[in-house]
Amino acid sequence: MTAPGTPAEPRPSAPGTDPFATGYGTTASGPTAGTPAATSGGTSGGTTPAPRSSRAGSAGRTIGRGLALALLIAVTVVLVLFIVFNGETVPISLVFTDVRAPLVVALLIAAGLGALFAALLGAVLAARRRNR
């Protein structure tokens, strides 16, 4: 008789299907968890992936952050220049009325309406594809 909560017999599993296997020092015929070779990172004929250097990962993240910061600064400068050079007031003819607004506002409204139109068109086409 077995204690409550323990299986009567261990379930057999195919090699390489253990969800708890880490891949370090274990093979189909290699050591199991708890043996000195498995816990110390040793191998028994299997291949062990080389551990990634934490310094290389840190350098990659630093470069990525620096690149993101440079891109953010460049986009900010372009947007500020866009606003400064397009600040003059222009007449905008709407459907029912005419208004005077800065050119940058007119350009941003046009860009927003274009993006809205493209999103609606994409949603309609995606819905038509789903219904086929």
Side-chain angles (χ1 to χ4, degrees), residues 33 47 76-78 86 96 111 125:
T47 59
T76 302
V77 167
V78 168
N86 293 303
F96 298 108
L125 292 177

Side-chain angles (χ1 to χ4, degrees), residues 9-90:
E9 293 181 32
R11 290 183 293 168
S13 61
T17 60
D18 185 10
F20 300 108
T22 60
Y24 291 102
T26 57
T27 61
S29 63
T32 59
T35 60
T39 57
S40 66
T43 61
S44 174
T47 59
T48 302
R52 184 173 178 173
S53 170
S54 63
R55 187 174 185 183
S58 176
R61 282 190 295 271
T62 303
I63 291 171
R65 287 181 184 148
L67 185 61
L69 181 63
L71 185 63
L72 178 67
I73 290 171
V75 167
T76 302
V77 167
V78 168
L79 285 175
V80 167
L81 290 174
F82 178 75
I83 291 169
V84 167
F85 288 124
N86 293 303
E88 64 265 6
T89 303
V90 295

